[in-house]
Amino acid sequence: MKIILTQEVSGLGTPGDIVEVKNGYGRNYLLPQGFAIQWSKGAEKQVTVIKRARDAREIRDLGQATEVKGQIEGLKVTLTARSGNGGRLFGSITPAEIVDAVKAAGGPALDRRRLELPGHIKTTGSYPVKVKLHPEVTATFPVNVVAAK
């Protein structure tokens, strides 16, 4: 089955890529989740629109990615969350909350889908978070989760 990706899917590609996948994977997962659209000649023209939008928000090249990596790794990101006894949080920290905290700490705007968390963040403490800025550049920065007073 030939499909056009509308979002980044790890192991497959980036938005606008035309890929060949097994019928069940495309029909049962990628299409219903909105990660892809079915390929057609008309849809292939939409690929140019998707790629133009991606280029507008994506980090341009390796040099810019390493520059952003330096900015991110120098940040001290702190999140406050309500917690109970023993530092256990009510809920968990989401990638969207981390992106907002990075922006509030003076860092660049990041895409939450590019964050790689070390599992679910459900207790207070410091956690290493990875951001895939470019296929060849990954930045790691600590996120400190503290209890709200």
Side-chain angles (χ1 to χ4, degrees):
M1 168 180 242
K2 215 172 185 183
I3 58 167
I4 301 170
L5 297 176
T6 57
Q7 294 182 20
E8 184 170 342
V9 178
S10 54
L12 265 186
T14 57
D17 289 350
I18 299 171
V19 293
E20 185 78 32
V21 296
K22 299 249 180 173
N23 288 340
Y25 183 51
R27 190 172 46 245
N28 296 327
Y29 178 69
L30 295 174
L31 295 175
Q33 295 293 325
F35 294 141
I37 56 175
Q38 191 135 15
W39 180 87
S40 67
K41 288 184 181 180
E44 194 164 357
K45 291 178 183 174
Q46 288 180 330
V47 169
T48 57
V49 175
I50 293 171
K51 285 188 177 183
R52 212 173 305 132
R54 178 180 67 191
D55 291 342
R57 71 171 185 270
E58 190 174 277
I59 295 173
R60 298 283 179 247
D61 58 0
L62 189 62
Q64 186 181 2
T66 54
E67 182 182 309
V68 172
K69 178 181 177 181
Q71 282 181 333
I72 290 173
E73 290 181 341
L75 289 177
K76 298 209 182 301
V77 180
T78 304
L79 279 164
T80 56
R82 292 181 46 218
S83 66
N85 295 338
R88 188 166 166 85
L89 300 180
F90 297 127
S92 64
I93 302 297
T94 63
E97 291 173 319
I98 294 173
V99 167
D100 292 340
V102 166
K103 197 176 242 185
L110 300 173
D111 186 3
R112 65 176 172 76
R113 292 173 294 224
R114 294 188 180 270
L115 288 181
E116 294 177 18
L117 301 179
H120 296 288
I121 300 177
K122 294 187 175 205
T123 58
T124 57
S126 186
Y127 298 90
V129 175
K130 294 181 182 178
V131 182
K132 192 169 185 179
L133 301 169
H134 191 269
E136 300 155 16
V137 178
T138 302
T140 304
F141 63 95
V143 172
N144 194 22
V145 180
V146 295
K149 302 286 179 188

